[in-house]
Every structure is written in C-alpha cells, then in structure tokens.
Coordinates of all heavy atoms in Angstrom, one line a residue:
M192 N 84.0 88.8 -78.5 CA 85.0 88.2 -79.4 C 85.6 89.2 -80.3 O 84.9 89.9 -81.0 CB 84.3 87.1 -80.2 CG 85.2 86.3 -81.1 SD 84.3 85.0 -82.0 CE 85.7 84.0 -82.5
S193 N 86.9 89.3 -80.2 CA 87.6 90.3 -81.1 C 87.8 89.7 -82.4 O 87.7 88.5 -82.7 CB 88.9 90.7 -80.5 OG 90.0 90.2 -81.2
A194 N 88.0 90.6 -83.4 CA 88.2 90.2 -84.8 C 89.4 89.3 -84.9 O 89.5 88.6 -85.9 CB 88.2 91.4 -85.7
L195 N 90.3 89.4 -84.0 CA 91.5 88.6 -84.1 C 91.5 87.4 -83.2 O 92.6 86.7 -83.1 CB 92.7 89.5 -83.8 CG 93.1 90.5 -84.9 CD1 94.3 91.4 -84.5 CD2 93.5 89.7 -86.2
D196 N 90.4 87.0 -82.6 CA 90.3 85.7 -81.9 C 90.2 84.6 -83.0 O 89.6 84.8 -84.0 CB 89.1 85.7 -81.0 CG 89.3 86.5 -79.8 OD1 90.5 86.8 -79.4 OD2 88.3 86.9 -79.1
C197 N 90.8 83.5 -82.7 CA 90.7 82.3 -83.5 C 89.2 82.0 -83.6 O 88.6 81.9 -82.6 CB 91.5 81.2 -83.0 SG 91.4 79.7 -83.9
P198 N 88.6 81.7 -84.8 CA 87.2 81.4 -84.9 C 86.8 80.0 -84.3 O 85.6 79.7 -84.2 CB 86.9 81.5 -86.4 CG 88.2 81.3 -87.0 CD 89.3 81.8 -86.1
S199 N 87.8 79.2 -84.0 CA 87.4 77.9 -83.4 C 86.9 78.1 -82.0 O 87.6 78.6 -81.1 CB 88.6 77.0 -83.4 OG 88.3 75.8 -82.7
P200 N 85.7 77.6 -81.7 CA 85.1 77.9 -80.3 C 85.9 77.2 -79.2 O 85.9 77.6 -78.1 CB 83.7 77.2 -80.4 CG 83.5 76.9 -81.8 CD 84.8 76.8 -82.5
A201 N 86.6 76.1 -79.6 CA 87.4 75.4 -78.6 C 88.7 76.0 -78.3 O 89.5 75.5 -77.6 CB 87.5 73.9 -79.0
C202 N 89.0 77.1 -79.0 CA 90.4 77.6 -79.0 C 90.3 79.1 -78.5 O 89.4 79.8 -78.9 CB 90.9 77.6 -80.4 SG 92.5 78.3 -80.6
D203 N 91.2 79.5 -77.6 CA 91.2 80.9 -77.2 C 92.4 81.6 -77.7 O 92.8 82.6 -77.1 CB 91.0 81.0 -75.7 CG 92.0 80.3 -74.9 OD1 93.0 79.8 -75.5 OD2 91.8 80.2 -73.7
A204 N 93.1 81.0 -78.6 CA 94.3 81.7 -79.2 C 93.9 82.8 -80.1 O 92.8 83.0 -80.4 CB 95.2 80.7 -79.9
R205 N 94.9 83.6 -80.5 CA 94.6 84.7 -81.4 C 95.2 84.3 -82.8 O 96.2 83.7 -82.9 CB 95.4 86.0 -80.9 CG 95.2 86.2 -79.5 CD 95.3 87.7 -79.2 NE 93.9 88.3 -79.4 CZ 93.7 89.6 -79.6 NH1 94.7 90.4 -79.7 NH2 92.5 90.0 -79.7
R206 N 94.4 84.7 -83.8 CA 94.9 84.4 -85.1 C 95.8 85.5 -85.5 O 95.7 86.6 -85.0 CB 93.8 84.2 -86.1 CG 92.9 85.4 -86.3 CD 91.7 85.1 -87.2 NE 90.8 86.2 -87.3 CZ 91.0 87.2 -88.2 NH1 92.0 87.1 -89.0 NH2 90.2 88.2 -88.2
K207 N 96.6 85.3 -86.5 CA 97.5 86.3 -87.0 C 96.7 87.2 -88.0 O 95.8 86.6 -88.7 CB 98.7 85.7 -87.8 CG 99.4 84.7 -87.0 CD 100.6 85.3 -86.3 CE 101.4 84.2 -85.6 NZ 102.1 84.7 -84.4
A208 N 97.0 88.4 -88.1 CA 96.3 89.3 -89.1 C 96.5 88.7 -90.5 O 97.6 88.2 -90.8 CB 96.9 90.7 -89.1
G209 N 95.5 88.5 -91.2 CA 95.6 88.0 -92.6 C 95.4 86.4 -92.6 O 95.4 85.8 -93.6
Q210 N 95.4 85.8 -91.4 CA 95.2 84.4 -91.3 C 93.7 84.1 -90.9 O 93.2 84.9 -90.2 CB 96.1 83.8 -90.3 CG 97.6 83.9 -90.6 CD 98.1 82.8 -91.6 OE1 97.7 81.7 -91.5 NE2 98.8 83.2 -92.6
C211 N 93.2 82.9 -91.4 CA 91.8 82.7 -91.0 C 91.7 81.9 -89.7 O 90.7 81.9 -89.0 CB 91.1 81.9 -92.1 SG 92.0 80.5 -92.8
L212 N 92.8 81.3 -89.2 CA 92.8 80.6 -87.9 C 94.2 80.9 -87.2 O 95.1 81.4 -87.8 CB 92.8 79.1 -88.2 CG 91.5 78.5 -88.8 CD1 91.7 77.1 -89.2 CD2 90.3 78.7 -87.9
C213 N 94.2 80.5 -85.9 CA 95.6 80.5 -85.3 C 96.4 79.4 -85.9 O 95.9 78.5 -86.6 CB 95.4 80.4 -83.8 SG 95.0 78.7 -83.2
W214 N 97.7 79.5 -85.6 CA 98.6 78.5 -86.2 C 98.2 77.1 -85.7 O 98.3 76.1 -86.5 CB 100.1 78.8 -85.8 CG 100.6 79.9 -86.6 CD1 101.0 81.1 -86.2 CD2 100.9 79.9 -88.0 NE1 101.5 81.9 -87.2 CE2 101.4 81.1 -88.4 CE3 100.7 78.9 -89.0 CZ2 101.7 81.4 -89.7 CZ3 101.0 79.2 -90.3 CH2 101.6 80.5 -90.6
D215 N 97.9 76.9 -84.5 CA 97.6 75.5 -84.0 C 96.4 74.9 -84.8 O 96.4 73.8 -85.2 CB 97.3 75.5 -82.5 CG 98.5 75.7 -81.7 OD1 99.6 75.5 -82.2 OD2 98.4 76.0 -80.5
C216 N 95.3 75.7 -84.9 CA 94.1 75.2 -85.6 C 94.4 75.0 -87.1 O 94.0 74.0 -87.7 CB 93.0 76.1 -85.4 SG 92.4 76.2 -83.7
W217 N 95.2 75.9 -87.7 CA 95.6 75.8 -89.1 C 96.4 74.5 -89.3 O 96.1 73.7 -90.2 CB 96.4 77.0 -89.5 CG 96.8 77.0 -90.9 CD1 98.1 76.6 -91.4 CD2 96.0 77.2 -92.1 NE1 98.1 76.7 -92.8 CE2 96.9 77.1 -93.2 CE3 94.7 77.6 -92.3 CZ2 96.4 77.2 -94.5 CZ3 94.2 77.8 -93.6 CH2 95.1 77.6 -94.7
D218 N 97.3 74.2 -88.4 CA 98.1 73.0 -88.5 C 97.3 71.8 -88.3 O 97.6 70.7 -88.8 CB 99.2 73.0 -87.4 CG 100.4 73.8 -87.9 OD1 100.5 74.2 -89.0 OD2 101.3 74.1 -87.0
A219 N 96.2 71.9 -87.6 CA 95.3 70.7 -87.3 C 94.5 70.4 -88.5 O 94.0 69.2 -88.7 CB 94.5 70.9 -86.1
L220 N 94.3 71.3 -89.5 CA 93.4 71.0 -90.6 C 94.1 70.0 -91.5 O 95.3 69.9 -91.6 CB 93.3 72.3 -91.5 CG 92.5 73.5 -90.9 CD1 92.5 74.7 -91.8 CD2 91.0 73.1 -90.6
P221 N 93.3 69.1 -92.1 CA 93.9 68.2 -93.1 C 94.6 68.9 -94.2 O 94.2 70.0 -94.6 CB 92.6 67.4 -93.6 CG 91.6 67.6 -92.6 CD 91.8 69.0 -92.0
G222 N 95.6 68.3 -94.8 CA 96.4 68.9 -95.8 C 95.5 69.4 -97.0 O 95.7 70.5 -97.5
P223 N 94.6 68.5 -97.5 CA 93.8 69.0 -98.6 C 92.9 70.2 -98.3 O 92.7 71.1 -99.1 CB 92.9 67.8 -98.9 CG 93.6 66.6 -98.4 CD 94.4 67.1 -97.2
T224 N 92.5 70.3 -97.0 CA 91.7 71.5 -96.6 C 92.6 72.7 -96.6 O 92.2 73.8 -97.1 CB 91.1 71.2 -95.2 OG1 90.2 70.1 -95.3 CG2 90.3 72.4 -94.7
R225 N 93.8 72.6 -96.1 CA 94.7 73.7 -96.1 C 95.0 74.2 -97.5 O 95.0 75.4 -97.8 CB 96.0 73.4 -95.4 CG 95.9 73.3 -93.9 CD 97.3 73.6 -93.3 NE 98.2 72.6 -93.7 CZ 98.5 71.5 -93.0 NH1 97.9 71.2 -91.9 NH2 99.4 70.7 -93.5
R226 N 95.2 73.2 -98.4 CA 95.5 73.6 -99.8 C 94.3 74.2 -100.4 O 94.4 75.2 -101.1 CB 95.9 72.3 -100.6 CG 97.3 71.9 -100.5 CD 97.8 70.9 -101.5 NE 97.1 69.6 -101.4 CZ 97.5 68.7 -100.5 NH1 98.5 68.9 -99.7 NH2 96.8 67.6 -100.4
A227 N 93.1 73.7 -100.2 CA 91.9 74.3 -100.7 C 91.7 75.8 -100.3 O 91.4 76.7 -101.0 CB 90.6 73.5 -100.3
L228 N 92.0 76.0 -99.0 CA 91.9 77.4 -98.4 C 92.9 78.3 -99.0 O 92.8 79.5 -98.9 CB 91.9 77.3 -96.9 CG 90.7 76.7 -96.2 CD1 91.0 76.5 -94.7 CD2 89.5 77.7 -96.3
G229 N 94.0 77.7 -99.5 CA 95.1 78.6 -100.0 C 94.8 79.0 -101.4 O 95.6 79.9 -101.9
I230 N 93.8 78.5 -102.1 CA 93.5 78.9 -103.4 C 92.8 80.2 -103.5 O 91.8 80.3 -102.8 CB 92.7 77.8 -104.1 CG1 93.4 76.4 -104.1 CG2 92.4 78.2 -105.6 CD1 92.5 75.2 -104.5
R231 N 93.3 81.1 -104.2 CA 92.6 82.4 -104.3 C 91.9 82.5 -105.6 O 92.5 82.9 -106.6 CB 93.7 83.6 -104.2 CG 94.6 83.5 -103.0 CD 93.8 84.0 -101.8 NE 94.6 83.9 -100.5 CZ 94.1 83.8 -99.3 NH1 92.8 83.9 -99.2 NH2 94.9 83.7 -98.3
D232 N 90.6 82.2 -105.6 CA 89.8 82.3 -106.8 C 88.4 82.8 -106.4 O 88.2 83.2 -105.2 CB 89.8 81.0 -107.6 CG 89.2 79.9 -106.8 OD1 88.6 80.1 -105.8 OD2 89.3 78.7 -107.3
E233 N 87.5 82.7 -107.3 CA 86.1 83.2 -106.9 C 85.4 82.3 -105.9 O 84.4 82.7 -105.3 CB 85.3 83.3 -108.2 CG 84.9 82.0 -108.9 CD 86.0 81.4 -109.8 OE1 87.1 82.0 -109.8 OE2 85.7 80.4 -110.5
L234 N 86.0 81.1 -105.6 CA 85.4 80.3 -104.5 C 86.0 80.5 -103.2 O 85.6 79.8 -102.2 CB 85.4 78.8 -105.0 CG 84.5 78.4 -106.1 CD1 84.8 77.0 -106.6 CD2 83.1 78.6 -105.8
A235 N 87.0 81.3 -103.1 CA 87.8 81.4 -101.8 C 86.9 81.8 -100.7 O 87.0 81.3 -99.6 CB 88.9 82.4 -102.0
T236 N 86.0 82.8 -100.9 CA 85.1 83.2 -99.9 C 84.1 82.1 -99.4 O 83.9 81.9 -98.2 CB 84.2 84.4 -100.4 OG1 85.2 85.5 -100.8 CG2 83.4 85.0 -99.2
A237 N 83.7 81.3 -100.4 CA 82.8 80.2 -100.1 C 83.5 79.2 -99.2 O 82.9 78.6 -98.3 CB 82.2 79.6 -101.4
R238 N 84.8 78.9 -99.6 CA 85.5 78.0 -98.8 C 85.7 78.4 -97.3 O 85.6 77.7 -96.4 CB 86.9 77.7 -99.4 CG 86.9 77.1 -100.7 CD 88.3 76.7 -101.2 NE 88.3 76.3 -102.6 CZ 88.5 77.1 -103.6 NH1 88.9 78.4 -103.3 NH2 88.5 76.7 -104.8
L239 N 86.0 79.7 -97.2 CA 86.1 80.3 -95.8 C 84.8 80.2 -95.1 O 84.8 79.9 -93.9 CB 86.5 81.8 -96.0 CG 87.5 82.3 -94.9 CD1 88.7 81.5 -94.6 CD2 87.9 83.7 -95.3
Q240 N 83.7 80.4 -95.8 CA 82.4 80.3 -95.1 C 82.2 78.9 -94.6 O 81.6 78.7 -93.5 CB 81.3 80.7 -96.0 CG 81.2 82.3 -96.2 CD 80.3 82.7 -97.3 OE1 79.8 81.9 -98.1 NE2 80.0 84.0 -97.3
I241 N 82.5 77.9 -95.4 CA 82.4 76.5 -95.0 C 83.2 76.2 -93.7 O 82.8 75.7 -92.8 CB 82.8 75.5 -96.1 CG1 81.9 75.6 -97.3 CG2 82.9 74.1 -95.6 CD1 82.3 74.8 -98.5
L242 N 84.5 76.7 -93.8 CA 85.4 76.5 -92.6 C 84.7 77.1 -91.3 O 84.6 76.4 -90.3 CB 86.7 77.2 -92.9 CG 87.7 77.3 -91.7 CD1 88.2 75.9 -91.4 CD2 88.8 78.2 -92.0
H243 N 84.2 78.3 -91.4 CA 83.6 79.0 -90.3 C 82.3 78.3 -89.8 O 82.1 78.2 -88.6 CB 83.4 80.5 -90.6 CG 84.6 81.3 -90.5 ND1 84.7 82.6 -90.3 CD2 85.9 80.9 -90.8 CE1 85.9 83.0 -90.3 NE2 86.7 82.0 -90.6
R244 N 81.6 77.8 -90.8 CA 80.3 77.1 -90.4 C 80.7 75.8 -89.7 O 80.0 75.4 -88.7 CB 79.5 76.8 -91.7 CG 78.1 76.4 -91.5 CD 77.4 76.2 -92.8 NE 78.0 75.2 -93.6 CZ 78.0 75.2 -94.9 NH1 77.4 76.2 -95.6 NH2 78.5 74.2 -95.6
E245 N 81.7 75.1 -90.2 CA 82.1 73.8 -89.5 C 82.6 74.1 -88.1 O 82.2 73.4 -87.1 CB 83.2 73.1 -90.3 CG 82.7 72.7 -91.7 CD 81.9 71.5 -91.7 OE1 82.4 70.4 -91.5 OE2 80.6 71.6 -91.9
L246 N 83.4 75.1 -88.0 CA 83.9 75.5 -86.7 C 82.8 75.9 -85.7 O 82.8 75.4 -84.6 CB 84.9 76.7 -86.8 CG 86.3 76.3 -87.4 CD1 87.0 77.6 -87.7 CD2 87.1 75.4 -86.6
A247 N 81.8 76.6 -86.2 CA 80.7 77.0 -85.4 C 79.9 75.9 -85.0 O 79.2 75.9 -83.9 CB 79.9 78.1 -86.1
A248 N 79.9 74.8 -85.8 CA 79.2 73.6 -85.5 C 80.0 72.6 -84.6 O 79.6 71.5 -84.4 CB 78.7 72.8 -86.7
A249 N 81.1 73.1 -84.1 CA 82.0 72.4 -83.2 C 82.7 71.2 -83.8 O 83.0 70.2 -83.2 CB 81.3 72.0 -81.9
V250 N 82.8 71.2 -85.2 CA 83.6 70.2 -85.8 C 85.1 70.5 -85.5 O 85.5 71.6 -85.7 CB 83.4 70.2 -87.4 CG1 84.2 69.2 -88.1 CG2 81.9 70.0 -87.7
P251 N 85.8 69.4 -85.0 CA 87.2 69.7 -84.8 C 88.0 70.0 -86.1 O 87.7 69.4 -87.1 CB 87.7 68.3 -84.2 CG 86.5 67.6 -83.9 CD 85.4 68.1 -84.7
P252 N 89.0 70.9 -86.0 CA 89.7 71.3 -87.2 C 90.2 70.1 -88.0 O 90.2 70.2 -89.3 CB 90.8 72.2 -86.7 CG 90.3 72.8 -85.4 CD 89.4 71.7 -84.8
H253 N 90.7 69.0 -87.3 CA 91.3 67.9 -88.1 C 90.2 67.1 -88.9 O 90.6 66.3 -89.7 CB 92.1 67.0 -87.2 CG 91.3 66.2 -86.2 ND1 91.0 66.7 -84.9 CD2 90.7 65.0 -86.2 CE1 90.3 65.8 -84.3 NE2 90.1 64.8 -85.1
E254 N 88.9 67.4 -88.6 CA 87.9 66.7 -89.3 C 87.2 67.5 -90.4 O 86.3 67.1 -91.1 CB 86.8 66.2 -88.4 CG 87.3 65.1 -87.5 CD 86.2 64.6 -86.5 OE1 85.1 65.0 -86.6 OE2 86.5 63.8 -85.6
I255 N 87.7 68.8 -90.6 CA 87.0 69.7 -91.5 C 87.5 69.4 -92.9 O 88.7 69.4 -93.2 CB 87.2 71.1 -91.1 CG1 86.6 71.4 -89.8 CG2 86.7 72.1 -92.2 CD1 86.8 72.8 -89.3
E256 N 86.6 69.1 -93.8 CA 86.9 68.9 -95.2 C 86.3 69.9 -96.1 O 85.1 70.3 -95.9 CB 86.4 67.5 -95.7 CG 87.2 66.3 -95.0 CD 86.6 65.0 -95.5 OE1 86.0 65.0 -96.5 OE2 86.9 64.0 -94.8
I257 N 87.0 70.5 -97.0 CA 86.5 71.5 -97.9 C 86.7 71.0 -99.3 O 87.9 70.8 -99.7 CB 87.1 72.8 -97.7 CG1 86.7 73.3 -96.3 CG2 86.6 73.8 -98.7 CD1 87.3 74.6 -95.9
N258 N 85.7 70.7 -100.0 CA 85.8 70.1 -101.4 C 85.3 71.0 -102.4 O 84.5 70.6 -103.3 CB 85.0 68.7 -101.4 CG 85.6 67.8 -100.4 OD1 86.8 67.5 -100.3 ND2 84.7 67.2 -99.6
L259 N 85.6 72.3 -102.4 CA 85.2 73.2 -103.4 C 86.4 73.4 -104.4 O 87.5 73.6 -103.9 CB 84.8 74.5 -102.8 CG 83.4 74.6 -102.3 CD1 83.1 76.0 -101.8 CD2 82.3 74.1 -103.3
Ligands
ZN204 ZN1 92.8 78.3 -82.9

C-alpha cells in the first residue's frame, strides 16, 4: 500500500497529496464529518485517527461520524 493510496479498504483510488481520502470517499462522508475533519486545531490528529480506525473496521465512509 503506497502512502498515496486511499485509506478506505473498499477503494483502490489514489488520494491527492495533502488529502486524507480520495475525492469519492471524501464526498461520501457526511457533511458534519467533513466539517469536523476540516478543523485545524489540537484535535485534528485525533479526528484523523478516528477516520482511519473506522475505515480499517470497514465502516462505509457515508456512515462515519466524528464528534470531536
Ligand atoms: Zn477512496
């Protein structure tokens, strides 16, 4: 798995440099989740870890909620 593969196991697209997901998976995230991931503060890393943990657990992107 290259560093630029989309982290969603169900997806073989490539993410863009500086993006955490490919565009398709990003678009599939619920709006509040996208907004939460866009916040750059001391919890940003924790939010990203939740995203990756959910993806690794095969949670579909449209069901991932991040409430930090
Ligand atoms: Zn993807």
Side-chain angles (χ1 to χ4, degrees):
M192 184 178 195
S193 111
L195 283 177
D196 284 340
C197 176
S199 174
C202 178
D203 57 9
R205 316 210 83 201
R206 64 186 177 85
K207 310 264 184 209
Q210 296 278 317
C211 48
L212 294 172
C213 75
W214 281 113
D215 285 346
C216 292
W217 179 259
D218 277 348
L220 292 174
T224 297
R225 286 205 301 267
R226 277 194 294 280
L228 287 168
I230 304 168
R231 302 287 176 198
D232 62 12
E233 67 276 8
L234 290 175
T236 303
R238 292 189 192 94
L239 212 50
Q240 285 171 345
I241 293 172
L242 173 69
H243 284 205
R244 194 176 62 213
E245 299 283 285
L246 289 171
V250 179
H253 68 272
E254 290 180 8
I255 295 178
E256 292 181 18
I257 296 178
N258 300 309
L259 281 184

